[in-house]
Amino acid sequence: MGITVVFVLCVLTMPVFGAGNTVPKPRSCTDVKQFYAGKGFSVTGLPQTEISGEHLRICPQGYTCCTSEMEEKLSNLSRVDFERLVKEEGRSLQITLNTQYKSFDSHVLELINRSEASLAQTLGPQYHPNARVLQDLFSELRRYYRGANVNLEEALNEFWLRLLERLFKAGNPKYALADDYLECVTKQSETLRPFGDTPRDSQQKVTRAFVALRTFIQGLVTGGEVARKVSQVPLSQECERALMKLSYCPQCRGMAAAKPCRVYCLNVLKGCLANQADLDTEWRNLADAMLKIADRIKLTAMDRVIESIPVYISEGIAYLQENQAVFHSKVFQACGTPRVSGDDSTTPEERPLPTVEKPNATTSPTSEKLVNDVSDKVKAMMEHWVILPSRLCADRVASGTSADASCWNGLNKGQGYLPEMLGDGLASQINNPEVEIDITKPDMTIRQQIMQLKIMTNRLKNALNGNDVDFQDTSDDVSGSGSGVCSDDLCARIIPEISMPNTNQPKPVAPSGDAVRAAASQNPPCVTLCLLSLVTLLLLRR
């Protein structure tokens, strides 16, 4: 009886073949084969019509035109395509920043060259006897601007002291001035101020200008390098699968014309670019600090400061000449009257002087225009990492009034996409329906670049106050201030890439024998604690 019932039910549920009840014929795979061949793959052995998709590992397992080999190759292609797009975006950003850097850098160097070339005209007869000292000053300014480990304040102080030595010797040709006597002369400059207030006033202006300029171009270089390195981070296996499903599974299902639903595409790309989106905070901080430095450069009239260096020197020399008699008298009182040499000739230059090339007379853009151009580009890039998924989805997703009816949702088309759009960054991907992401394992390359941005931003902030950032304690820059930005071993890899300050602290001196014995006579806390514990244990046993 039971067997009969089962047989009847099976008969009733069997399809009835006849008019209007035919089994649908498998669709042709011609379009898919053409698409596959267009990607450079061989179509030999591919199915002519749809087959069962039970062999598929990524795409939906309905009827399909894709074999296992096709799915694997298209999956690799989806990864290559996406990594290429991300690299192009990063390269475009890097080129923009590098272009701004080159234009600004060329302008600054031209200003320095122009200022040096005007020395002879500004100083007149005082130029040639002091040309070596003057040219050494401008060499140091160029080296500092280029990022060399130069203490700008010391370099400027050294320039005025060397200039004083030469002018003092030139003003006292009948005396034999030994090095120790000239050292005594320079020591008097602290109280006698032979050049008046010019060294102090000019030093402040020149230092602020060059600190801002150097840090500004370092910010541009850092931004470009970060963009390059971040855009080369490889995709995870989970992202490769998700991109295959997004990009080429419609082809396998015979839906070549179907484009992904917008939110579906965004969720896939927000997952695959989650680590890059975590750059957003420090990237914005860098851009904001760059804009503030740009305003400072315009406010300090950088062109005028650099071009006025010969004027500052001329004013200092003029002040010394006007007060020469008084200054020499006070020096003789402090250092004694030097021995008469009997030779009235002045000291000749030790080395032949190189020719200073005058810059081209062609009109160049002003600093203000260049700074404005950089500022416009920096403003445009502030949201780069969080809008990157939208940029990459823009041309590939379905649009228009019929988008919901025709878009691909990862399984089919015509049904829309139900999940909500996720937020940006790694922490927002915990419930990503399209990409499986372990939010506890951030990408270390990108964490390193976040640290580089943080350090560069701190430098820019210090430069806003006129601080020479390579000659101060920058321990706060790399400590993370307890923010957990990097682990100890990660920071150890990052810190050597940053030019660390020369604090000029004395080397530690090995303790003497008495000091060692004195230290040994004091019980460290851990020893005292152990002794107390032992005494307590003995008392308890009693």
Side-chain angles (χ1 to χ4, degrees):
M1 180 64 180
I3 296 175
T4 304
V5 172
V6 171
F7 175 77
V8 172
L9 289 174
C10 289
V11 171
L12 291 175
T13 56
M14 288 177 62
V16 179
F17 298 100
N21 289 289
T22 58
V23 176
K25 293 181 179 180
R27 288 175 291 187
S28 171
C29 291
T30 302
D31 292 343
V32 178
K33 292 172 69 175
Q34 290 178 351
F35 160 79
Y36 194 66
K39 295 296 182 180
F41 300 121
S42 172
V43 296
T44 304
L46 299 188
Q48 299 297 322
T49 58
E50 290 181 326
I51 59 176
S52 173
E54 295 176 354
H55 56 279
L56 299 179
R57 294 294 176 265
I58 300 175
C59 296
Q61 295 182 334
Y63 282 104
T64 182
C65 288
C66 287
T67 63
S68 297
E69 182 183 4
M70 288 176 67
E71 186 183 45
E72 182 179 355
K73 288 183 176 180
L74 289 175
S75 177
N76 290 333
L77 182 61
S78 68
R79 173 182 53 80
V80 172
D81 287 346
F82 186 72
E83 288 181 345
R84 175 181 54 80
L85 288 173
V86 174
K87 285 181 181 178
E88 287 177 357
E89 288 287 336
R91 190 179 301 114
S92 176
L93 182 57
Q94 183 187 17
I95 290 173
T96 298
L97 292 171
N98 285 352
T99 301
Q100 297 302 313
Y101 159 75
K102 289 177 181 178
S103 298
F104 197 80
D105 180 64
S106 297
H107 177 68
V108 173
L109 291 176
E110 183 182 348
L111 284 174
I112 298 173
N113 292 339
R114 188 188 305 158
S115 180
E116 183 177 11
S118 69
L119 279 168
Q121 182 179 0
T122 305
L123 300 181
Q126 291 293 343
Y127 171 72
H128 192 272
N130 304 296
R132 180 62 59 191
V133 177
L134 296 167
Q135 290 176 352
D136 286 348
L137 169 65
F138 277 85
S139 294
E140 288 296 278
L141 291 176
R142 288 189 190 88
R143 290 184 63 239
Y144 174 84
Y145 170 71
R146 283 299 194 187
N149 194 24
V150 174
N151 187 323
L152 188 55
E153 182 178 346
E154 289 182 2
L156 292 171
N157 287 335
E158 179 68 17
F159 160 73
W160 288 107
L161 294 178
R162 289 180 63 195
L163 182 62
L164 177 61
E165 287 182 0
R166 298 191 71 87
L167 293 175
F168 188 82
K169 290 172 69 175
N172 297 277
K174 65 179 182 179
Y175 294 115
L177 301 173
D179 290 342
D180 57 346
Y181 191 89
L182 291 175
E183 183 179 353
C184 180
V185 173
T186 56
K187 287 181 178 178
Q188 306 312 309
S189 64
E190 297 178 6
T191 55
L192 299 180
R193 291 163 51 204
F195 298 108
D197 294 331
T198 299
R200 183 188 61 192
D201 295 342
S202 62
Q203 184 187 76
Q204 185 179 36
K205 294 176 183 177
V206 172
T207 300
R208 280 187 174 273
F210 272 85
V211 167
L213 290 173
R214 181 166 83 159
T215 315
F216 190 65
I217 65 164
Q218 285 179 348
L220 291 172
V221 172
T222 298
E225 279 299 294
V226 168
R228 180 182 67 83
K229 292 178 180 179
V230 168
S231 64
Q232 294 178 351
V233 173
L235 288 173
S236 65
Q237 240 182 356
E238 291 76 12
C239 278
E240 183 178 329
R241 293 173 59 87
L243 288 167
M244 168 61 189
K245 196 174 179 181
L246 175 77
S247 304
Y248 295 127
C249 282
Q251 297 286 349
C252 291
R253 290 296 305 274
M255 303 174 185
K259 290 187 174 183
C261 303
R262 178 178 173 275
V263 176
Y264 169 49
C265 180
L266 287 173
N267 280 349
V268 171
L269 268 58
K270 280 175 179 282
C272 292
L273 296 172
N275 280 285
Q276 285 85 342
D278 278 349
L279 285 165
D280 181 60
T281 299
E282 291 304 329
W283 186 260
R284 287 174 183 267
N285 289 342
L286 176 74
D288 185 61
M290 289 283 293
L291 293 174
K292 290 179 180 177
I293 284 285
D295 290 340
R296 174 58 57 84
I297 290 174
K298 290 189 290 185
L299 185 64
T300 55
M302 178 193 69
D303 293 39
R304 189 160 62 249
V305 170
I306 295 177
E307 291 174 345
S308 296
I309 293 175
V311 177
Y312 300 146
I313 298 171
S314 178
E315 290 175 350
I317 293 175
Y319 184 90
L320 176 63
Q321 290 175 334
E322 291 174 3
N323 301 276
Q324 183 172 273
V326 176
F327 176 71
H328 288 184
S329 174
K330 291 183 177 181
V331 168
F332 292 160
Q333 290 177 12
C335 302
T337 303
R339 179 177 57 85
V340 177
S341 67
D343 184 5
D344 293 340
S345 62
T346 56
T347 304
E349 286 290 332
E350 299 84 355
R351 296 170 288 173
L353 293 172
T355 303
V356 179
E357 296 183 4
K358 293 185 178 181
N360 297 330
T362 55
T363 303
S364 61
T366 63
S367 296
E368 184 173 357
K369 182 182 183 305
L370 288 170
V371 168
N372 287 336
D373 289 345
V374 174
S375 298
D376 290 341
K377 296 296 188 297
V378 169
K379 289 176 183 176
M381 75 177 195
M382 287 187 78
E383 298 181 344
H384 176 82
W385 301 109
V386 291
I387 66 172
L388 187 55
S390 298
R391 288 169 61 92
L392 296 179
C393 280
D395 297 332
R396 67 168 70 190
V397 299
S399 59
T401 56
S402 60
D404 290 341
S406 62
C407 67
W408 168 258
N409 62 14
L411 296 173
N412 214 322
K413 70 173 184 177
Q415 299 175 2
Y417 183 75
L418 297 179
E420 296 181 352
M421 184 171 65
L422 299 174
D424 302 304
L426 194 61
S428 300
Q429 309 309 310
I430 189 170
N431 293 317
N432 193 315
E434 310 304 334
V435 189
E436 184 178 346
I437 297 176
D438 186 352
I439 66 171
T440 65
K441 295 180 179 179
D443 183 88
M444 287 295 100
T445 297
I446 292 181
R447 298 297 127 173
Q448 287 178 350
Q449 299 314 304
I450 290 174
M451 177 57 71
Q452 294 289 356
L453 291 174
K454 182 181 177 66
I455 293 172
M456 189 66 242
T457 300
N458 285 338
R459 288 182 168 187
L460 288 163
K461 289 178 179 178
N462 283 320
L464 280 171
N465 298 322
N467 295 329
D468 192 341
V469 293
D470 284 338
F471 286 90
Q472 63 179 357
D473 185 5
T474 58
S475 57
D476 289 342
D477 287 351
V478 295
S479 66
S481 300
S483 59
V485 176
C486 68
S487 59
D488 292 340
D489 60 332
L490 176 58
C491 284
R493 295 196 298 271
I494 296 173
I495 294 172
E497 298 177 15
I498 304 298
S499 55
M500 297 303 292
N502 177 12
T503 55
N504 294 322
Q505 293 181 354
K507 295 181 179 179
V509 180
S512 64
D514 293 339
V516 172
R517 285 190 294 272
S521 64
Q522 298 177 0
N523 289 329
C526 60
V527 175
T528 303
L529 184 60
C530 291
L531 290 174
L532 288 174
S533 302
L534 182 59
V535 170
T536 303
L537 183 61
L538 291 173
L539 290 174
L540 289 174
R541 286 187 174 182
R542 288 183 180 182

